[in-house]
C-alpha cells in the first residue's frame, strides 16, 4: 500500500536546523546533554577533533545561544566547561524529533 504524502505537510527534512544538524555540533549537543556539563578535552577526544576545530564549532553554538562556555581552573590547570542552555535543550529535542519523523517515513517506504 503506497501512502500519498499530504501536500500541505512539510517534509521533516525541511525542519532540520542547519546549526544543530552538522555532525560535530550535533555530537557536541548530544554529549553535553548526556553529561549536563562537559569539559573541552573530553569533547575533543570523544569527537576526535583538533582543539581549533572544536573551538570553531563551540563558537557557532555559543553564538546561536545553544551552549554556555565557562572558563576556569581545576587546580592549576585551565579548564573549559560546556553546558547546554534551555534553548540548546529545545533545539536538540526538536532535531531528534525531526530525525525520528524522517526515519519513520523512510522505514514506512521500505516496508511497502
Amino acid at each position: 500500500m503506497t501512502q500519498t504524502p499530504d501536500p500541505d505537510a512539510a517534509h521533516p527534512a525541511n525542519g532540520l536546523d542547519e546549526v544543530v544538524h552538522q555532525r560535530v555540533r550535533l555530537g557536541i549537543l548530544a554529549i553535553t546533554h548526556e553529561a549536563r556539563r562537559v569539559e573541552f578535552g573530553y569533547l575533543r577526544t570523544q569527537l576526535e577533533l583538533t582543539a581549533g576545530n572544536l573551538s570553531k564549532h563551540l563558537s557557532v553554538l555559543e553564538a546561536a545561544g545553544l551552549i554556555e562556555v565557562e572558563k576556569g581552573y581545576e587546580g592549576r590547570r585551565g579548564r573549559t566547561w560546556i553546558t547546554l542552555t534551555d534553548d540548546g535543550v529545545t533545539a536538540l529535542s526538536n532535531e531528534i524529533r525531526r530525525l525520528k519523523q524522517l526515519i519513520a517515513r523512510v522505514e514506512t517506504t521500505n516496508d511497502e
Side-chain angles (χ1 to χ4, degrees), residues 27-77:
I28 291 167
L29 294 174
I31 291 169
T32 304
H33 184 267
E34 291 172 42
R36 304 285 185 232
R37 182 177 187 235
V38 66
E39 202 269 326
F40 182 92
Y42 180 78
L43 278 176
R44 189 176 50 77
T45 301
Q46 290 298 304
L47 296 171
E48 300 176 348
L49 299 170
T50 64
N53 195 325
L54 178 56
S55 291
K56 288 179 185 177
H57 287 289
L58 291 174
S59 293
V60 170
L61 292 170
E62 187 176 28
L66 303 182
I67 62 166
E68 289 180 351
V69 176
E70 174 190 351
K71 295 185 182 276
Y73 287 89
E74 190 173 274
R76 293 177 179 242
R77 298 188 65 176

Side-chain angles (χ1 to χ4, degrees), residues 7-8 10-11 18 20 24 26-27 29 31-32 47-48 56 58 65-66 70-71 79 81 90 94 102 106 111:
D8 295 327
H11 193 278
E18 294 292 326
V20 174
V24 171
L26 184 58
L29 294 174
I31 291 169
T32 304
L47 296 171
E48 300 176 348
K56 288 179 185 177
L58 291 174
L66 303 182
E70 174 190 351
K71 295 185 182 276
R79 297 279 188 223
W81 293 276
T90 299
N94 288 340
L102 192 58
V106 170
D111 292 341

Side-chain angles (χ1 to χ4, degrees), residues 77-90:
R77 298 188 65 176
R79 297 279 188 223
T80 302
W81 293 276
I82 294 88
T83 54
L84 289 184
T85 63
D86 289 342
D87 286 345
V89 171
T90 299

